[in-house]
Amino acid sequence: MILQREGLSADTREERTERIAPDSMSEAETIGDALDCSEIRLEMPGYVELVLSLVIIWGFGDAVSTLVATAFAGPSLEANPWIRLLLVHHPLLVVALKAAVVLYAGVVLLECRHVVERVPGWRAWFLGVIGLGAAVVLTNVYVGLAAVAAV
C-alpha cells in the first residue's frame, strides 16, 4: 500500500513509501499464500435457515418465476395440469395456492423440528429439496427468456 499526502517533498514521500510498502512477498509466494485464512469459518446452515430457504425458493421464487414464464410463453407450457388450470382462470390463484402450501409446509416443519432433526441426513434432504426448487425456478426463468427471445 502506498500512501501519498499533499505537502510532502519527493524525498519524504520515497521514505514513507519504503516504510509502508516493503517488499515482503517473494516472487514465488502468491497472494493466496500471503493471506491468513485461519479466521474464515464455514458453518452448516441451521434448521430454521433451511426451512426459510425452502419457503423462499418454493414459495416466492417458484410463484414469481411461474408468472414470468406464463406472461411471456403462455400457460400452455406449464407442466403441472392443476397449475395450468389455475393460470387459465386467474394467475393470482397460483400465487394464493403456492403461498398457502408453502406457509403450511413451513409451519409444519418448524413445529416438527425435534422429529426431523432425529432423521439421519435431514440436512442433505433439505439441501436437495432447496436445490431442486432452485432448478425449477431457473427453468421457469429460462422458459420465459426463451419466449422473449423468440418474439
Side-chain angles (χ1 to χ4, degrees), residues 2 19 25-26 49 52 56-57 61 66-67 75 79 88 109 115-116 139-140 151:
I2 299 174
R19 250 190 337 203
M25 287 187 3
S26 66
E49 293 165 332
L52 183 63
I56 290 171
I57 293 290
T66 298
L67 292 177
V88 169
L109 285 169
V115 175
V116 174
T139 302
N140 287 344
V151 172

Side-chain angles (χ1 to χ4, degrees), residues 16-145:
R16 188 151 193 64
T17 301
E18 288 175 10
R19 250 190 337 203
I20 293 173
D23 187 21
S24 60
M25 287 187 3
S26 66
E27 290 181 23
E29 189 177 31
T30 64
I31 293 175
D33 295 334
L35 292 176
D36 180 23
C37 296
S38 63
E39 295 295 320
I40 299 173
R41 293 184 323 140
L42 293 177
E43 294 181 15
M44 295 295 286
Y47 186 84
V48 175
E49 293 165 332
L50 290 171
V51 171
L52 183 63
S53 298
L54 189 131
V55 166
I56 290 171
I57 293 290
W58 280 103
F60 180 75
D62 188 31
V64 169
S65 65
T66 298
L67 292 177
V68 166
T70 301
F72 295 115
S76 62
L77 293 179
E78 172 60 45
N80 186 337
W82 294 103
I83 300 297
R84 189 179 328 123
L85 181 67
L86 291 176
L87 285 170
V88 169
H89 286 293
H90 200 284
L92 288 181
L93 292 173
V94 172
V95 174
L97 175 70
K98 289 183 186 262
V101 168
V102 166
L103 177 65
Y104 179 76
V107 169
V108 168
L109 285 169
L110 289 175
E111 289 297 318
C112 297
R113 178 179 183 165
H114 63 282
V115 175
V116 174
E117 286 182 333
R118 286 189 288 178
V119 176
W122 64 270
R123 242 186 209 108
W125 179 84
F126 265 109
L127 293 173
V129 172
I130 292 167
L132 181 65
V136 168
V137 169
L138 288 174
T139 302
N140 287 344
V141 170
Y142 174 76
V143 167
L145 292 176

